[in-house]
Amino acid sequence: MDPLLKVVIVDESPVRSAIIEEGLREAGFTQVTRIEEMANLLARIYALDPDVIVIDLENPSRDVLEQMFQVSRIVKRPIAMFVDQSDAASIQASVDAGVSAYIVGGLVKERVKNILDLCISRFNAFSRLQTELDQAKTALEDRKVIDRAKGILMKAKNLTEEEAYALLRKTAMNEKKKIAEIAQSVITASEMFK
Amino acid sequence: MNEDPRLRIGFIPLADAAALIVAVDKGFTTDEGLDVELKREVSWSNVRDKLNIGLFDAAHLLAPVAIASSLGLGHVRVPILAPFNLGLNGNAITVSPDLYAALAASVEGDLANPMNSAKAMARVVAERRARGRDPLAFGMTFPFSTHNYQLRFWMAAGGVNPDEDVRLVVLPPPYMVESLANKHVDAFCVGAPWNSVAVDLGVGRILHFVSEILARAAEKVLAVRERWAQDNPNLLLRLVRAHGRAAGFIEESDNHAEVAAILAAPNRIGVDAEVIMRTLAGRLKVSPDGAVRTSNRYLLVGRANAARPDPVQAAWLYAQMVRWKQTELSDTLLAQAVAVFRPDIYDQAVGVPGPMPAGEPADGVGAFAGPAFSPKDVAGYLRTWAIPGR
């Protein structure tokens, strides 16, 4: 590991790139820069003169980086770690995580492998956070729908809250559906009867 | 060998993915017993890499990338085959209103003539240099792209040296319009629908359809790994046959509305169907003031034998890679490049097409300037283009 390696993170997601930067800094890399603005990307990268560039696979600007491969323009030729077929497991891990890296300074691959590994784990951590956030949002939405359906049932059938919930749950089990789906049907039906 | 009919095929949301998208969404691939999952991608690098490492079985790919990959240019060498040509032409050169005005002020004759416009560009470039202004910047989609070669071919014919006099920069197609509006570039060459989007927003003016520069230019191909083709010969034929049917369907003008609706879907190209209709009809609004230009060559999907891969096109693209110093000239590399295009597989799957219709260029390329192209004498062809002092 070489803490003086200059690493540039190209990512339009500020949260994710902050997570990666933090990871790299914790691992001892001191020269980490984030680029979130894609305009004039190549000029920004040339100005920073990095050794390693990390970019997410959902970023259309990956094609911009390809221009660095054109020999006529610059001396330093980058290597894409992603397409080095000698390490299939590493490729699969990068694709699954959605990250790719380019080594610019003619460095030995092994010296920067831990950077990619670190980025892969941080990318995965970020998607886990994203998933958890999405699940929390869905749970909150579901809760609102179920509460409304309970209210409708309590009024229409003169039930207690517990009884209304038990009815929703029993119906969901019988129909092999989620309680939120049944609750949504109750709301839809009640709106049609209005 | 058991061939698994579940295929994953990558594409970029562009109008010239039409044959692939229609083949799948009209059920032509299902009719051939294939179960295709289309995967929309955001960059050509992703498409190429995912095809190369086997995450995609086939892909909508820039024709020059198929060749570059097979020759190992810029990246690891992965032999690719192109058994079906998804489109000829389809790109346009769009310039900012300022650059258009400068060209119009410098041109001798009609600016719609590409030789006139290229010479006007040379004058604008010289004048900017004399005034110490920054060189003009041109957006294009990829180092190994027809867009790159079309821009270079055109401006070099007028005396502009694309490596010295201007800046050519790679821009992802969805960023082209914004970059033109923000003056990060002065012009770009890109496929449909992005030129029309720039015109509709009033930030650009279409200067040329690339079909005015080259009558026939292989744009995108259906690409598969050579290895995959060897392992799955029957799937390959069925896939190509479904594409042949789709290309025929797309070229019936009665079907244009349906095709445009299929392509416009949010998970396909995701733009207004009306914009796609313009491309299919070859009738484009070229100026924010509403002026329209019509061409029966704007994008050729199946007509004029467009879908049959033409080895002459592969040779021409290889010649451009040599001309612009992306690779060296050798008989071996030329033979490898030509072998990427596989009309024999097309013929086996779809049938041998009829004779080329009248009006198609005799050399298979039909450039607006320079000598006829011959794959037998690439060196001689390139000598005619040598720029003095290079």
Side-chain angles (χ1 to χ4, degrees):
Chain A
M1 156 125 43
D2 182 349
L4 293 179
L5 285 184
K6 279 192 269 183
V7 184
V8 164
I9 304 162
V10 181
D11 195 336
E12 284 173 300
S13 158
V15 178
R16 184 168 54 195
S17 69
I19 289 173
I20 295 163
E21 181 183 4
E22 187 197 61
L24 288 167
R25 290 197 184 279
E26 278 172 12
F29 294 98
T30 52
Q31 306 203 47
V32 184
T33 314
R34 286 149 50 185
I35 299 181
E36 285 154 19
E37 170 61 52
M38 295 301 125
N40 287 326
L41 177 62
L42 220 47
R44 287 169 204 260
I45 288 176
Y46 286 156
L48 292 165
D49 192 29
D51 301 298
V52 180
I53 302 164
V54 177
I55 184 165
D56 67 289
L57 287 181
E58 288 309 309
N59 195 327
S61 293
R62 252 199 96 198
D63 283 350
V64 177
L65 300 187
E66 291 289 318
Q67 204 166 11
M68 296 187 302
F69 292 88
Q70 300 299 297
V71 274
S72 58
R73 277 307 169 101
I74 53 164
V75 185
K76 284 183 170 186
R77 290 193 67 194
I79 308 159
M81 293 184 80
F82 182 57
V83 291
D84 180 353
Q85 294 177 317
S86 61
D87 187 359
S90 174
I91 292 168
Q92 192 63 49
S94 317
V95 175
D96 290 346
V99 62
S100 168
Y102 295 83
I103 313 168
V104 184
L107 297 162
V108 184
K109 205 173 49 181
E110 283 68 30
R111 285 179 65 200
V112 286
K113 186 169 186 323
N114 59 342
I115 295 183
L116 186 64
D117 288 347
L118 193 144
C119 292
I120 289 171
S121 76
R122 288 275 159 161
F123 259 70
N124 286 332
F126 178 77
S127 14
R128 274 197 301 277
L129 278 176
Q130 196 83 49
T131 313
E132 282 168 20
L133 191 65
D134 290 346
Q135 281 168 351
K137 272 188 195 156
T138 311
L140 195 65
E141 299 288 323
D142 286 357
R143 174 61 47 203
K144 283 184 192 159
V145 171
I146 292 168
D147 282 348
R148 269 190 70 195
K150 275 195 298 194
I152 292 165
L153 291 176
M154 285 158 70
K155 205 169 156 193
K157 302 190 60 149
N158 205 11
L159 302 175
T160 67
E161 189 176 351
E162 286 75 21
E163 286 166 341
Y165 185 73
L167 180 59
L168 284 170
R169 197 177 57 181
K170 187 164 151 261
T171 314
M173 278 169 73
N174 288 346
E175 299 200 5
K176 294 189 172 58
K177 285 187 172 156
K178 290 184 186 163
I179 297 181
E181 286 173 312
I182 299 297
Q184 186 59 55
S185 315
V186 170
I187 294 168
T188 309
S190 94
E191 274 164 7
M192 285 168 73
F193 283 120
K194 262 181 194 168
Chain B
M1 169 171 285
N2 275 336
E3 299 179 24
D4 185 349
R6 289 172 301 173
L7 305 182
R8 277 191 295 192
I9 307 185
F11 75 102
I12 295 281
L14 291 167
D16 54 24
L20 168 62
I21 294 171
V22 169
V24 176
D25 289 350
K26 275 295 284 180
F28 299 155
T29 47
T30 312
D31 291 348
E32 293 287 340
L34 304 173
D35 176 10
V36 177
E37 185 186 359
L38 286 178
K39 294 280 205 180
R40 188 159 90 162
E41 271 298 341
V42 296
S43 72
W44 291 114
S45 318
N46 280 8
V47 174
R48 176 202 57 202
D49 292 348
K50 290 184 179 180
L51 180 67
N52 284 354
I53 65 179
L55 288 175
F56 292 157
D57 301 298
H60 163 236
L61 195 63
L62 288 160
V65 172
I67 294 171
S69 218
S70 301
L71 302 184
L73 303 181
H75 270 270
V76 282
R77 177 172 179 268
V78 178
I80 298 290
L81 299 184
F84 191 92
N85 195 67
L86 290 169
L88 290 175
N89 310 336
N91 300 327
I93 298 173
T94 293
V95 300
S96 69
D98 287 354
L99 181 54
Y100 188 87
L103 292 169
S106 334
V107 73
E108 289 177 6
D110 183 1
L111 193 55
N113 173 315
M115 186 54 93
N116 293 348
S117 64
K119 286 180 174 167
M121 188 64 77
R123 282 182 216 113
V124 170
V125 163
E127 195 204 8
R128 286 179 75 98
R129 185 185 294 125
R131 290 194 189 178
R133 293 180 64 189
D134 284 341
L136 292 168
F138 289 76
M140 47 86 176
T141 56
F142 205 72
F144 299 103
S145 69
T146 26
H147 318 80
N148 185 15
Y149 306 137
Q150 284 157 349
L151 274 175
R152 286 167 176 267
F153 187 93
W154 162 67
M155 64 175 72
V160 177
N161 181 333
D163 285 315
E164 305 291 334
D165 299 337
V166 296
R167 283 195 309 127
L168 265 68
V169 294
V170 170
L171 279 178
Y175 296 174
M176 289 275 182
V177 174
E178 190 190 334
S179 298
L180 191 66
N182 295 342
K183 301 187 192 299
H184 287 135
V185 294
D186 303 284
F188 58 65
C189 181
V190 70
W194 301 106
N195 297 285
S196 293
V197 172
V199 171
D200 285 351
L201 289 173
V203 300
R205 186 160 173 151
I206 295 177
L207 184 62
H208 292 300
F209 297 171
V210 295
S211 55
E212 296 158 16
I213 294 163
L214 303 155
R216 292 175 78 89
E219 176 58 35
K220 306 288 172 5
V221 294
L222 175 71
V224 296
R225 288 182 309 286
E226 186 181 50
R227 180 69 198 275
W228 185 89
Q230 285 162 357
D231 291 346
N232 300 279
N234 295 313
L235 291 185
L236 180 63
L237 290 178
R238 281 141 71 181
L239 183 62
V240 171
R241 197 153 42 231
H243 276 74
R245 219 176 131 192
F249 185 85
I250 291 161
E251 292 290 22
E252 292 291 332
S253 53
D254 287 351
N255 296 334
H256 280 179
E258 185 182 348
V259 171
I262 290 171
L263 299 181
N267 60 345
R268 298 304 184 225
I269 300 177
V271 298
D272 212 14
E274 188 272 329
V275 175
I276 295 173
M277 282 293 277
R278 293 185 216 168
T279 303
L280 297 173
R283 188 180 155 76
L284 275 73
K285 191 166 104 177
V286 294
S287 161
D289 67 20
V292 165
R293 191 178 304 175
T294 307
S295 167
N296 60 0
R297 309 198 63 84
Y298 181 64
L299 172 65
L300 286 78
V301 177
R303 61 191 193 275
N305 297 350
R308 186 177 191 261
D310 182 357
V312 171
Q313 286 288 333
W316 188 85
L317 288 170
Y318 168 71
Q320 306 314 301
M321 293 176 188
V322 176
R323 181 178 180 188
W324 304 114
K325 310 220 174 336
Q326 290 177 321
T327 186
E328 280 138 33
L329 181 61
S330 88
D331 290 342
T332 313
L333 292 174
L334 172 63
Q336 282 177 2
V338 168
V340 172
F341 280 33
R342 293 293 297 272
D344 56 318
I345 299 175
Y346 176 92
D347 291 349
Q348 205 188 334
V350 182
V352 180
M356 197 66 93
E360 293 302 309
D363 69 350
V365 175
F368 82 100
F373 178 69
S374 164
K376 293 195 177 68
D377 185 20
V378 171
Y381 176 78
L382 290 175
R383 269 195 301 278
T384 63
W385 290 113
I387 295 173
R390 261 174 80 89

